[in-house]
């Protein structure tokens, strides 16, 4: 991989004050910056700048009907662009900063450019916990739109090298903060008056949400969708993926879990948080392996296991 490392040196900058200043300047002048969060790397731009947002969609090859998440430093800033009822405020106060995205109505004077929300009258807001992303929000003073920093439909990046590999020559300045700790994308929750609905399972689990709200939540969405991106084949390696595989065939790279050892084990001790952290890196490795296909061991669906199974199911779906 020495070739790609050379290239990484060209684009990636180690976390440090100067790198933050350079990145903030780039964002303020309408540029893109790839930045780590606690979940995955994001491809950030000023959410009020229409041409910067167009550049995100172009760089990712993302369909323009799939809206973006806007990142904010705290709930007070979030209230400038989204309307928080009591339930939304309760969730934000409990889980922010952290891997929870809240879909709320836009404010009437929301300055975010319409392409960010793909024409919806709601906006997806997240206050990330990663110190580097927090510093960038503060230094830039911007509301930062940031989808995962990969080509649309591909595996999400949990290292700077993954960003470089997926975006190739289109990769912008990458702030290298090392490996993302949580490893799967934020839980997306839509606020529906005084109830809520999980649109994407993630690190904040169904059980967490039920405990804090005292509500079961509206059943996860099926066919009527407001975020079309949720249903497409996604997080997909270039090879076929077979899930719930206790055994593998000779032409399969086997991703293991617990007692199912595999060629690479997500967590030998059967720890789901550890498995989530390792998930996308393992898919990247499996994708680059010599075997023609990928098999993945069964993974329990409890807790963050729901998010792992959601991503694997999408990875296994052919478009
Ligand atoms: O952890 C994360 O959430 C990462 C990091 C970078 O923050 N970001 C991320 O963004 O996963 P992205 O673009 O890959 O996924 C955003 C999802 C999309 O599937 C989109 O459909 C949904 O959020 N979304 C955005 N705005 C929405 C809205 N107004 N209503 C419903 N869904 C929305
Ligand atoms: Mg994504």
């Amino acid at each position: 991989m020495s070739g790609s490392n050379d290239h990484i040196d060209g684009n990636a900058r180690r976390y440090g004050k100067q790198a933050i200043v350079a990145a903030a300047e780039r964002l303020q002048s309408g540029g893109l910056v790839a930045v780590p969060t606690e979940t995955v790397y994001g491809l950030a731009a000023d959410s009020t700048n229409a041409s910067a947002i167009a550049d995100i969609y172009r760089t990712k090859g993302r369909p323009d009907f799939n809206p973006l998440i806007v990142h904010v430093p705290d709930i007070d800033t979030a209230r400038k662009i989204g309307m928080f009822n009591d339930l939304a405020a309760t969730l934000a106060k409990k889980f922010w900063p952290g891997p929870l995205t809240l879909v709320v109505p836009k404010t009437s004077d929301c300055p975010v450019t319409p392409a960010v929300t793909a024409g919806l009258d709601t906006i997806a807001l997240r206050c990330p916990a990663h110190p580097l992303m927090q510093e960038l929000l503060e230094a830039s003073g911007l509301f930062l739109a940031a989808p995962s920093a990969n080509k649309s439909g591909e595996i999400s990046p949990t290292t700077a090298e993954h960003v470089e590999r997926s975006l190739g020559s289109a990769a912008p300045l990458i702030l290298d903060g090392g490996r993302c700790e949580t490893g799967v994308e934020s839980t997306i929750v839509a606020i529906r008056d005084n109830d809520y609905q999980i649109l994407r399972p993630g690190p904040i689990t169904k059980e967490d949400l039920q405990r804090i709200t005292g509500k079961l939540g509206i059943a996860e969405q099926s066919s009527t969708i407001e975020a079309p991106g949720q249903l497409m084949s996604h997080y997909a390696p270039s090879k076929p993926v077979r899930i719930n595989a206790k055994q593998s065939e000779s032409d399969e790279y086997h991703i293991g879990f617990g007692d199912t050892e595999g060629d690479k084990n997500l967590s030998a001790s059967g720890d789901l948080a550890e498995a989530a952290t390792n998930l996308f890196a393992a898919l990247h490795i499996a994708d680059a392996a010599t075997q023609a296909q990928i098999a993945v061991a069964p993974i329990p669906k409890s807790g963050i296991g729901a998010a792992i199974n959601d991503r694997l199911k999408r990875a296994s779906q052919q478009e």
Side-chain angles (χ1 to χ4, degrees), residues 40 60 62 147-150 153-154 156 185 200 234-235:
V40 300
K60 279 182 65 83
R62 181 177 177 117
S148 51
N150 53 283
E154 290 185 3
S156 295
E185 300 86 346
R200 177 175 73 184
H234 225 83
Y235 313 100

Side-chain angles (χ1 to χ4, degrees), residues 192 197-199 218-232 313-314:
R192 313 262 185 232
Q197 185 173 31
I198 298 176
L199 302 184
I218 300 167
E220 279 174 50
Q221 60 180 25
S222 49
S223 60
T224 46
I225 51 160
E226 57 186 56
Q230 293 298 322
L231 280 195
M232 295 188 303
K313 190 160 167 229
R314 290 173 205 277

Side-chain angles (χ1 to χ4, degrees), residues 72-83:
V72 290
D74 50 49
I75 184 170
D76 290 337
T77 310
R79 285 183 195 277
K80 294 180 182 155
I81 51 180
M83 295 199 287

Side-chain angles (χ1 to χ4, degrees), residues 35 37 39-43 60 62 65-69 71 99 101 103-104 116-117 120 122-124 126 128 133 146-150 156 184-188 190 199-200 226-230 234-235:
V35 54
T37 77
T39 59
V40 300
Y41 275 72
L43 183 63
K60 279 182 65 83
R62 181 177 177 117
F65 54 76
N66 192 6
L68 308 177
I69 294 173
H71 297 70
T101 295
V103 174
V104 298
V116 168
T117 53
L120 298 170
T122 54
I123 187 162
R126 158 156 142 75
M133 181 55 148
S148 51
N150 53 283
S156 295
V184 294
E185 300 86 346
S186 62
T187 306
I188 304 182
L199 302 184
R200 177 175 73 184
E226 57 186 56
Q230 293 298 322
H234 225 83
Y235 313 100

Side-chain angles (χ1 to χ4, degrees), residues 232-243:
M232 295 188 303
S233 160
H234 225 83
Y235 313 100
S238 59
K239 307 170 177 177
V241 177
R242 187 167 69 88
I243 54 179

Side-chain angles (χ1 to χ4, degrees), residues 35-99:
V35 54
T37 77
E38 70 274 35
T39 59
V40 300
Y41 275 72
L43 183 63
D46 175 1
S47 64
T48 65
N49 182 325
S51 79
I53 296 306
D55 214 14
I56 287 187
Y57 282 98
R58 201 175 316 118
T59 301
K60 279 182 65 83
R62 181 177 177 117
D64 61 8
F65 54 76
N66 192 6
L68 308 177
I69 294 173
V70 178
H71 297 70
V72 290
D74 50 49
I75 184 170
D76 290 337
T77 310
R79 285 183 195 277
K80 294 180 182 155
I81 51 180
M83 295 199 287
F84 284 68
N85 64 11
D86 287 349
L87 180 62
T90 299
L91 290 172
K93 280 177 192 149
K94 177 67 193 172
F95 295 111
W96 283 3

